[in-house]
Amino acid sequence: MGGNQTSVTEFLLVGIPLSPRMQLLLFGLFSVFYAFTLLGNGVILGLISLHSKLHTPMYFFLSQLATVDIAYACNTVPQMLVNLLSPAQPISFAGCMTQTFLFLTCGRTECLLLMVMSYDRYVAICLPLRYSTIMNWKVCDTLVMVSWASGVLMTLVDMLLLLPLPFCGPQKVNHFFCEIIAILKLACADTHLNEVVIVTGGVFLLLGPVSAIVVSYGHILRAILKIQSAEGRWKAFSTCSSHLCVVGLFYGTGIIMYVGPQHGDSQEKKKYLLLFHSLFNPMLNPLIYSLRNREVNAALRRRLGKGRPL
C-alpha cells in the first residue's frame, strides 16, 4: 500500500457524537444485538447441517445467507463497539481498506444470493416436476460460487480505484466504520470515476436483481393462486413471504444508499440508515426465516427436545 503516496496512515471514525453515558448504553444494546446475530445465524447453520430433512437446495442457499450475515456483522459491529468505548481509537489505513473490501464483498454477495433464492422458489413452485433436475447440487454449487466470485471481483474493481488515491487529511471518517463513500470524501483528488463505478455497480447489483425477483414472484403468485388446497397455498406463501421480507429489508436500504444521490444533507441520514442495515438486517434474517418456516421450527423443536433431561 506504500505505492498510493498517501500521508495518512490511520483514520478516526466519527460514529455518533454522544455523551459517555449514552455511549455506554448503546454499547450494551449493540452488544446484545451482535450476540443475537451470531446466535441466530449460528443456529440456522447448525440446524441445516444436523438435520437431513433440511439438506435441500433452499436450505443450502439459506445457510450461505447465514454465513454472509455472520461475516457481515463480524466485519462492522466490533468496530462500532470499540468506537463506543473509545471514540478516539484510530483504525489503521490497511485495516480500514480491509474493512471496506469485506463490507462491499458481503453486501454484493448477499444481493446475488437473494436473487438465486428467488429463482429457487420460482422453480420449486412453478416447475415442481422439474425441480430436482433443474436445481441439482452441481447447479446449486455453481450458483453459490458465481455469487461469491462476482461479489469479490466487483469489489476488487472499487478497491483498485480507491487505493491509488492520495489521502492527505483530514483523517476523520464521518461514519461508524470504513464505508467507501465516506472514505472517498477524504481523498485529495477527483473521485468522480470512483462514484460513477459505485453507482453503476449499485444499479447492476440492486435494480437488476430486484427486477428479476419481481418477475419471479409475479409467476410464483400466479402459480400459488392456482393451487387447489388451502394447506398447499399457505405452505407456498409462508416460504415465499419470509424471503420477500428479507429482500425488502436488504434491497430497500441498498437502493437508497448506493443508487440515490451521493451528496447533500441526505448523507447524514444515510449514515444512520446503514447502521440499521449493518446491525439489524443480519439479526432479523434468521428470526424471519425461523418464525415463518415450519420445517426450521420443527427441526429446532426436535433438537431442543433431545437436549431435555429425562
Side-chain angles (χ1 to χ4, degrees):
M1 291 186 182
N4 64 351
Q5 299 180 345
T6 177
S7 59
V8 172
T9 59
E10 58 186 26
F11 293 104
L12 292 174
L13 299 171
V14 175
I16 314 175
L18 297 169
S19 65
R21 180 178 294 182
M22 185 59 69
Q23 286 178 335
L24 192 60
L25 177 64
L26 286 180
F27 175 82
L29 189 62
F30 288 178
S31 297
V32 172
F33 291 157
Y34 183 49
F36 273 114
T37 297
L38 299 182
L39 178 63
N41 286 287
V43 167
I44 292 289
L45 286 174
L47 290 174
I48 291 172
S49 64
L50 292 173
H51 290 270
S52 58
K53 288 186 177 180
L54 301 182
H55 293 174
T56 64
M58 183 179 79
Y59 293 106
F60 172 65
F61 296 134
L62 180 56
S63 70
Q64 294 297 314
L65 183 65
T67 301
V68 172
D69 283 338
I70 289 174
Y72 202 81
C74 289
N75 180 51
T76 56
V77 179
Q79 186 65 51
M80 294 183 196
L81 298 178
V82 169
N83 291 341
L84 287 171
L85 287 181
S86 304
Q89 185 72 26
I91 181 172
S92 68
F93 182 86
C96 191
M97 294 300 107
T98 301
Q99 190 178 59
T100 302
F101 174 79
L102 293 175
F103 172 77
L104 291 174
T105 298
C106 290
R108 286 165 173 172
T109 301
E110 185 161 349
C111 277
L112 297 172
L113 282 175
L114 289 173
M115 182 177 65
V116 168
M117 293 172 74
S118 71
Y119 175 69
D120 173 69
R121 290 300 83 208
Y122 162 74
V123 176
I125 294 173
C126 298
L127 305 169
L129 299 179
R130 298 172 56 194
Y131 180 75
S132 58
T133 303
I134 297 175
M135 299 303 296
N136 59 68
W137 285 112
K138 184 178 181 180
V139 170
C140 293
D141 290 338
T142 301
L143 289 172
V144 167
M145 286 190 291
V146 168
S147 297
W148 279 101
S150 299
V152 170
L153 290 174
M154 293 190 71
T155 301
L156 282 176
V157 174
D158 285 320
M159 299 308 295
L160 289 173
L161 292 173
L162 175 64
L163 289 173
L165 293 175
F167 293 91
C168 48
Q171 297 172 278
K172 293 183 178 180
V173 179
N174 185 23
H175 222 291
F176 308 98
F177 57 92
C178 291
E179 194 271 333
I180 189 167
I181 298 297
I183 295 173
L184 286 175
K185 294 183 181 300
L186 305 181
C188 306
D190 182 18
T191 60
H192 179 70
L193 177 60
N194 301 71
E195 293 174 2
V196 168
V197 170
I198 290 170
V199 173
T200 303
V203 171
F204 175 75
L205 275 173
L206 292 169
L207 297 184
V210 164
S211 300
I213 290 171
V214 168
V215 172
S216 295
Y217 274 95
H219 290 290
I220 288 171
L221 180 60
R222 188 168 58 183
I224 289 176
L225 294 176
K226 292 180 180 179
I227 297 176
Q228 297 298 323
S229 68
E231 183 180 355
R233 281 197 300 269
W234 170 251
K235 184 179 180 180
F237 178 77
S238 178
T239 302
C240 294
S241 62
S242 301
H243 183 246
L244 282 175
C245 288
V246 173
V247 165
L249 284 171
F250 183 84
Y251 283 104
T253 308
I255 289 172
I256 294 172
M257 281 298 306
Y258 294 109
V259 178
Q262 301 300 327
H263 299 284
D265 297 336
S266 63
Q267 278 302 111
E268 195 67 18
K269 296 177 182 178
K270 288 183 178 181
K271 182 174 80 170
Y272 293 100
L273 184 62
L274 195 55
L275 171 65
F276 173 87
H277 182 76
S278 304
L279 193 63
F280 292 97
N281 272 19
M283 181 184 69
L284 291 175
N285 286 354
L287 290 176
I288 292 171
Y289 277 107
S290 62
L291 289 175
R292 299 190 64 85
N293 191 294
R294 292 182 180 179
E295 292 176 325
V296 172
N297 278 323
L300 181 60
R301 284 196 298 269
R302 285 196 299 270
R303 182 54 50 180
L304 292 176
K306 288 181 180 180
R308 292 175 183 171
L310 297 174

